[in-house]
Amino acid sequence: QVQLQESGPGLVKPSETLSLTCAVSTYPISSGYYWSWIRQPPGKGLEWIGNIDHSGSTNYNPSLKSRVTISVDTSKNQFSLKLNSVTAADTAMYYCARSAFGSYSDYWGQGTLVTVSS
Amino acid sequence: QSALTQPASVSGSPGQSITISCTGTSSDVGGYNYVSWYQQYPGKAPKLMIYEVSNRPSGVSNRFSGSKSGNTASLTISGLQAEDEADYSCSSYTSSNTRVFGTGTKVTVL
């Protein structure tokens, strides 16, 4: 059973940078798979943000690409999300997940709510 | 990339079968057998129910099945039960090497 746990500030001011980390347990990131960030605004659907593999190769949602950076630290078995120049529209539950190439996400973190407000 | 289109809500009585559609384009749903489905209860993380169009992960009830025709994928829940009342979302790989989710469907058991 792969376990993922998101952490980071629950409140971010407009125009600042949202930073989250996902700690992975019981499965080495270096063993494979893609590691994804997915978000869900309150009352709305899921939105794929992007993913990264163990080598650091990334793919991003075109609508967020200019503001997003996903990185991986295999020594700590964790990966991170940075989203800059945030606005109220970035308020959402943010999930990290393990994903097969191009395909499904089989293990998810519990999610962390990030609110953008001054 | 545009979200895949799902009906906002679907309902059925216990024991009935319901089908949720997920419509995309030839650049996503229609172009690849990489459609997955997720069940989500309020305040909980999504749970994988179907992957690669029609495969069920271990532990998922065989009352859940998936299929695809052209640019539309479908999730069928047979023998509807009260515990199936939840939100369901589809997802697909895209030709841009990204993923896209559907708009989400609320399933109500009458």
Side-chain angles (χ1 to χ4, degrees):
Chain A
Q1 185 83 353
V2 181
Q3 296 178 345
L4 299 96
Q5 178 67 59
E6 305 90 350
S7 62
L11 180 64
V12 181
K13 290 182 169 55
S15 81
E16 295 190 344
T17 297
L18 179 161
S19 296
L20 297 175
T21 296
C22 181
V24 181
S25 304
T26 69
Y27 186 90
I29 285 179
S30 57
S31 292
Y33 284 90
Y34 283 72
W35 303 88
S36 303
W37 287 99
I38 296 157
R39 70 180 183 179
Q40 185 171 37
K44 296 186 178 181
L46 298 165
E47 180 180 32
W48 182 80
I49 299 172
N51 62 25
I52 191 167
D53 70 10
H54 69 279
S55 72
S57 176
T58 54
N59 298 287
Y60 298 129
N61 185 323
S63 68
L64 299 170
K65 189 172 183 177
S66 63
R67 299 194 292 129
V68 173
T69 302
I70 297 176
S71 58
V72 65
D73 186 338
T74 55
S75 66
K76 294 182 179 179
N77 216 44
Q78 64 186 35
F79 60 107
S80 301
L81 168 70
K82 289 189 186 298
L83 179 65
N84 58 38
S85 304
V86 298
T87 69
D90 295 310
T91 293
M93 185 70 78
Y94 284 77
Y95 295 101
C96 59
R98 188 183 83 163
S99 305
F101 167 73
S103 188
Y104 55 91
S105 294
D106 54 358
Y107 291 98
W108 295 65
Q110 64 184 29
T112 186
L113 178 62
V114 178
T115 301
V116 178
S117 175
S118 55
Chain B
Q1 56 193 26
S2 297
L4 307 176
T5 300
Q6 297 180 232
S9 62
V10 173
S11 61
S13 299
Q16 287 186 329
S17 293
I18 62 169
T19 297
I20 303 168
S21 60
C22 170
T23 301
T25 68
S26 57
S27 295
D28 39 62
V29 174
Y32 308 92
N33 287 324
Y34 286 143
V35 175
S36 53
W37 289 91
Y38 302 86
Q39 176 190 64
Q40 187 178 24
Y41 294 113
K44 299 296 186 180
K47 174 187 176 183
L48 177 67
M49 304 301 284
I50 295 287
Y51 66 98
E52 293 170 359
V53 177
S54 59
N55 296 302
R56 272 190 313 276
S58 174
V60 172
S61 171
N62 59 8
R63 297 186 299 103
F64 292 84
S65 61
S67 62
K68 190 184 83 167
S69 178
N71 296 337
T72 298
S74 299
L75 174 71
T76 297
I77 308 175
S78 58
L80 197 62
Q81 299 180 2
E83 67 199 48
D84 300 331
E85 186 162 296
D87 292 327
Y88 293 83
S89 297
C90 60
S91 177
S92 175
Y93 177 72
T94 82
S95 59
S96 301
N97 198 22
T98 62
R99 284 177 61 193
V100 61
F101 280 93
T103 50
T105 298
K106 181 177 180 57
V107 168
T108 300
V109 181
L110 301 172

